[in-house]
Amino acid sequence: MVNVNTLDTDGRRLRKSTPRSSHGAWRPSPDRPNPLEVLHAQEQGRVAELIPLRNERMGESPFAFFRGAAAVMAADLVDTPHTGLNVQLCGDAHIGNFGVFASLERRLIFDINDFDETLPGPWEWDLKRLVASVEIAARNRGFPKEQRLTAVLGAARTYREAMGSFAAMTPLEVWYQLFDVASMLPEIRRSLSSQQFRDVQHEINRALSKTSTKAARKLTHLVHGQPRIISDPPLVVPLTELVPGVEAELLAEGIGEVIASYRLTLPRDRQFLLRHYQFKDVARKVVGVGSVGTRSWIVLLVGREHGDPLVLQLKQATPAVLEAFLGPSTYQNHGERVIEGQRLIQASGDVLLGWLRTKGLDGVDRDFYVRQLWDWKSSTDLGRVSGPGLAAHSRLCAWTLARAHARTGNPQAIASYLGTGGVFDRDLAAFAAAYADQNEADFAAFTGTRSSATSSSPV
């Protein structure tokens, strides 16, 4: 569980041991691990034939590299100052890992949407990854220095002011805070141009259309009257193409046991819900940037009564990149670590969140977490966003991150440490610019030396 620290709420005293100005500097440690070696070490145990695809995706831009290099920044953050105030970290809180999805009440909400690296740790680490991502994304779009600085300062200020607001609330009031997209549309409209607001509405409509029914229409077709997942290698590869026919049939039969194991991790009402669906097909599906090469599967289920589709994603959960510096997770199953961290951080989550451990095609036991593949999920297209749009998105991410930290840490102590002025904001902006420079240097080294080796290993 999260270390909620001490009941001492006077974070101002921590300014002596950890001056706020100390956060502004970034210089690589003399014994800094080679980023390329860090990334290469992550390849161990992954699907070898997908490693070139991971390299290709990370090599698209400095921002894409940053997205996939959470392990690199984790090693860098361990040498940066922190107050010792812990929260449940997202662990990979860049601005591409926030988006909209359906709440339990079927409202469209904005929240963090990636928890692969979640672990208790210093709140500063999440915030520094967030502001660095704002600077890097702004550079990626070619925005001038002044516009980049505005976006970063806005994110830092929003986090600080939001934490101050949460500090004045009771824990229960903080727990109920969420960003309901529909209720905030008038405010969003005032901050954007007409065209930018139309883009937002388009993204909202696109999110609302992303359901299991649409996923099934896109990803499946009928074979001899039965729904089957369409092959699209290497992105989507049905089980029948990964192993011989007879063995695939036997493995498919075992999927029922896998689903049964996962179902036991759900609340009893969700267990009952899932009994209405039966297994039809399974395929390996590539997801993300840094996650490419880890095992990820999609499972097609169909309703017994109405024939309605339900597409689940089984995503491999490996040790969090922060565990090398913060110690191992208290959870024996990394899928459970991810889901329990998500439940602590998110205001509302997928009704079918669960986890399991199962043996892979190579006979190795691995942990997975399970969620719906699509449930009104959508993220801002950071490759097309305008300067004001990026600034607005960054502020929203910062508010959301502060809410997550306030839920699981000591908001009064963090807020009093931050203060009400802009000192800390400017320090964070200095860190973001310096780390963006470091990221560009790492990206240049990566693109100059990355391997194009391939392998035929299917597992």
Side-chain angles (χ1 to χ4, degrees):
M1 288 294 293
V2 177
N3 174 11
V4 294
N5 311 295
T6 171
L7 293 178
D8 184 358
T9 60
D10 189 4
R12 290 172 296 182
R13 292 186 297 180
L14 294 171
R15 298 178 191 174
K16 294 181 179 179
S17 57
T18 311
R20 290 175 297 176
S21 60
S22 67
H23 294 285
W26 161 253
R27 295 183 185 86
S29 168
D31 57 353
R32 183 185 191 234
N34 184 319
L36 304 186
E37 293 179 0
V38 172
L39 295 173
H40 180 67
Q42 286 192 300
E43 296 175 0
Q44 305 306 310
R46 298 198 180 202
V47 180
E49 68 183 58
L50 296 177
I51 299 303
L53 179 60
R54 180 184 189 232
N55 291 339
E56 178 184 336
R57 290 188 174 184
M58 290 183 65
E60 289 178 356
S61 69
F63 183 69
F65 175 81
F66 181 79
R67 288 185 58 186
V72 174
M73 192 170 191
D76 289 334
L77 287 170
V78 73
D79 292 319
T80 59
H82 63 85
T83 55
L85 297 170
N86 282 354
V87 299
Q88 183 73 28
L89 295 171
C90 163
D92 191 14
H94 66 75
I95 58 172
N97 276 343
F98 294 73
V100 297
F101 49 86
S103 73
L104 299 178
E105 302 79 19
R106 308 312 290 166
R107 291 186 292 170
L108 191 65
I109 63 172
F110 183 94
D111 213 323
I112 304 171
N113 60 18
D114 189 294
F115 304 90
D116 289 8
E117 313 300 346
T118 186
L119 204 69
W123 60 272
E124 294 95 334
W125 291 8
D126 264 356
L127 184 55
K128 287 178 178 177
R129 185 149 175 82
L130 180 75
V131 295
S133 72
V134 176
E135 174 72 21
I136 293 167
R139 291 186 185 190
N140 202 55
R141 292 285 293 122
F143 298 149
K145 182 177 181 179
E146 182 177 346
Q147 203 167 40
R148 301 198 305 265
L149 181 61
T150 297
V152 176
L153 286 174
R157 182 183 68 254
T158 298
Y159 180 93
R160 174 175 52 80
E161 293 177 347
M163 190 61 71
S165 297
F166 296 135
M169 299 180 187
T170 68
L172 190 60
E173 288 172 333
V174 173
W175 207 262
Y176 285 142
Q177 297 298 304
L178 57 76
F179 189 95
D180 183 327
V181 174
S183 66
M184 296 301 294
L185 275 179
E187 181 176 334
I188 294 172
R189 185 167 196 165
R190 286 193 295 270
S191 65
L192 299 176
S193 68
S194 297
Q195 181 56 54
Q196 290 163 356
F197 184 69
R198 283 194 292 271
D199 290 342
V200 169
Q201 288 181 308
H202 173 75
E203 290 299 321
I204 290 173
N205 292 334
R206 190 166 71 92
L208 294 174
S209 71
K210 295 183 73 172
T211 63
S212 275
T213 299
K214 186 172 182 179
R217 284 201 301 265
K218 179 179 180 180
L219 296 170
T220 70
H221 60 172
L222 291 178
V223 177
H224 303 305
Q226 294 296 319
R228 293 291 181 263
I229 298 172
I230 299 169
S231 176
D232 182 22
L235 302 181
V236 181
V237 184
L239 178 65
T240 53
E241 296 182 16
L242 293 173
V243 293
V246 174
E247 185 178 353
E249 291 181 11
L250 293 174
L251 288 171
E253 291 176 2
I255 295 294
E257 296 180 11
V258 172
I259 297 299
S261 172
Y262 146 68
R263 187 169 57 223
L264 292 177
T265 67
L266 298 174
R268 288 188 179 275
D269 59 333
R270 320 290 166 77
Q271 293 183 36
F272 182 83
L273 169 64
L274 203 61
R275 291 194 185 100
H276 288 279
Y277 292 87
Q278 57 185 336
F279 168 75
K280 286 296 181 181
D281 203 7
V282 60
R284 190 183 71 195
K285 187 177 190 302
V286 173
V287 294
V289 178
S291 297
V292 175
T294 57
R295 276 73 178 172
S296 181
W297 301 86
I298 53 173
V299 176
L300 173 65
L301 306 176
V302 173
R304 299 179 186 277
E305 296 90 353
H306 303 286
D308 53 306
L310 173 61
V311 185
L312 298 177
Q313 180 187 46
L314 281 61
K315 194 170 186 292
Q316 184 182 353
T318 58
V321 296
L322 299 171
E323 290 188 44
F325 314 105
L326 297 175
S329 168
T330 58
Y331 293 101
Q332 297 301 309
N333 185 305
H334 284 289
E336 184 177 10
R337 171 186 61 79
V338 171
I339 295 305
E340 293 301 336
Q342 179 171 351
R343 288 171 175 166
L344 284 169
I345 293 171
Q346 271 188 337
S348 182
D350 191 327
V351 297
L352 294 178
L353 288 176
W355 64 88
L356 59 93
R357 176 171 292 158
T358 188
K359 200 175 297 293
L361 301 181
D362 55 358
V364 176
D365 284 330
R366 293 184 177 87
D367 296 340
F368 291 82
Y369 62 90
V370 185
R371 60 188 179 186
Q372 294 182 69
L373 178 64
W374 287 356
D375 193 27
W376 295 5
K377 295 183 179 75
S378 183
S379 299
T380 298
D381 185 350
L382 297 174
R384 297 179 58 246
V385 70
S386 66
L390 177 66
H393 176 75
S394 300
R395 292 193 300 271
L396 185 50
C397 294
W399 182 92
T400 303
L401 185 65
R403 196 273 326 280
H405 289 175
R407 282 168 64 107
T408 61
N410 187 333
Q412 293 81 16
I414 297 174
S416 62
Y417 175 80
L418 292 174
T420 57
V423 174
F424 189 73
D425 307 349
R426 293 188 290 273
D427 292 331
L428 278 186
F431 170 84
Y435 199 82
D437 291 341
Q438 180 67 63
N439 181 73
E440 288 176 359
D442 294 344
F443 173 71
F446 176 78
T447 54
T449 62
R450 73 185 189 203
S451 171
S452 60
T454 59
S455 169
S456 59
S457 170
V459 295

